[in-house]
Amino acid sequence: MDELTLKLKEIIDFDTIPSKKVVGHKDKILSLSEKYQIDFPKDYLSYLKEYGNDYINPSYKCIPREEPPDFIESEFELDSIFGLHPDENNLIDQIESYRGIIPEHVFPIADLPGGDLVCMDKKTGFVYFWFHDREGIKINKVFDSFREFILGFTRVEEQTSNTGTVEINLDNRLDAFLRRSGPQKG
């Protein structure tokens, strides 16, 4: 089993919606390629044939190889990767929904929480993040390929709070102040 397949099996949340092979995938992919002028990279084609419409295990974050400039975050949560199954994560529906909204040279392949997208260049296969509410440049290249994008997922340990028992000592002056400045009965 190759590295990409192993990583997909690791990051996909199979408890949410089990992946199914797409029946008639060759016809759907050929139709998509022709209609939207997409040169599908080999690794992405394999994903569409074997997986699709997959939710990502929330323990994994995507860490871009090329971090978007002027952005605070360095790791990104991903909701789902689009596929060819007929549900809310259908690739064709997503392409149509964002037509005229995202740059013409890319198409959406996954979604980030809050309405942002992961997109792929139709000719080069480069992977971009598109931020819907950013001023100026809304799209940034983050990976050179779909393979790099998937291999860019890292398990992130849940952050635990390091708070112990906190003791607060309030003196009588604070209590008197709060009573004086509280709601006045009238």
Side-chain angles (χ1 to χ4, degrees):
M1 205 175 293
D2 77 304
E3 188 179 25
L4 181 63
T5 303
L6 288 171
K7 188 59 128 176
L8 284 166
K9 289 184 182 295
E10 183 182 329
I11 67 170
I12 292 173
D13 189 352
F14 289 102
D15 293 335
T16 317
I17 298 177
S19 293
K20 302 174 205 161
K21 285 191 175 188
V22 177
V23 177
H25 65 270
K26 288 180 184 177
D27 295 336
K28 287 181 182 182
I29 292 169
L30 182 59
S31 173
L32 263 172
S33 178
E34 290 173 357
K35 183 175 182 178
Y36 299 106
Q37 291 114 29
I38 300 171
D39 296 332
F40 288 109
K42 182 182 172 191
D43 288 334
Y44 186 63
L45 278 175
S46 295
Y47 171 80
L48 288 176
K49 291 174 184 175
E50 298 294 324
Y51 303 95
N53 306 59
D54 295 306
Y55 288 94
I56 302 301
N57 181 322
S59 299
Y60 287 85
K61 304 275 190 227
C62 182
I63 300 176
R65 202 185 83 164
E66 299 178 35
E67 195 171 312
D70 303 325
F71 210 78
I72 297 168
E73 296 180 52
S74 60
E75 55 187 45
F76 296 83
E77 188 175 325
L78 219 77
D79 285 335
S80 61
I81 302 176
F82 307 138
L84 299 173
H85 303 294
D87 69 12
E88 67 273 1
N89 294 320
N90 179 269
L91 178 62
I92 299 164
D93 293 345
Q94 295 297 327
I95 290 171
E96 283 299 321
S97 292
Y98 288 99
R99 211 168 173 183
I101 298 172
I102 61 175
E104 286 186 34
H105 73 283
V106 298
F107 65 100
I109 63 168
D111 63 344
L112 299 162
D116 299 324
L117 297 170
V118 178
C119 299
M120 183 181 289
D121 189 284
K122 293 178 179 181
K123 300 294 176 208
T124 66
F126 292 158
V127 176
Y128 295 84
F129 283 173
W130 176 78
F131 303 102
H132 76 284
D133 58 355
R134 277 182 86 182
E135 293 295 322
I137 298 172
K138 293 180 177 274
I139 191 163
N140 296 99
K141 181 180 164 217
V142 288
F143 294 102
D144 287 335
S145 67
F146 181 74
R147 174 179 286 275
E148 274 188 15
F149 164 60
I150 296 300
L151 296 178
F153 280 89
T154 303
R155 185 175 193 85
V156 177
E157 299 299 323
E158 287 187 36
Q159 294 184 5
T160 56
S161 176
N162 193 14
T163 58
T165 304
V166 177
E167 190 174 311
I168 300 174
N169 293 317
L170 302 175
D171 67 26
N172 293 336
R173 291 177 292 175
L174 178 60
D175 190 35
F177 171 76
L178 291 174
R179 273 189 256 147
R180 277 182 291 173
S181 61
Q184 303 295 321
K185 294 181 184 176

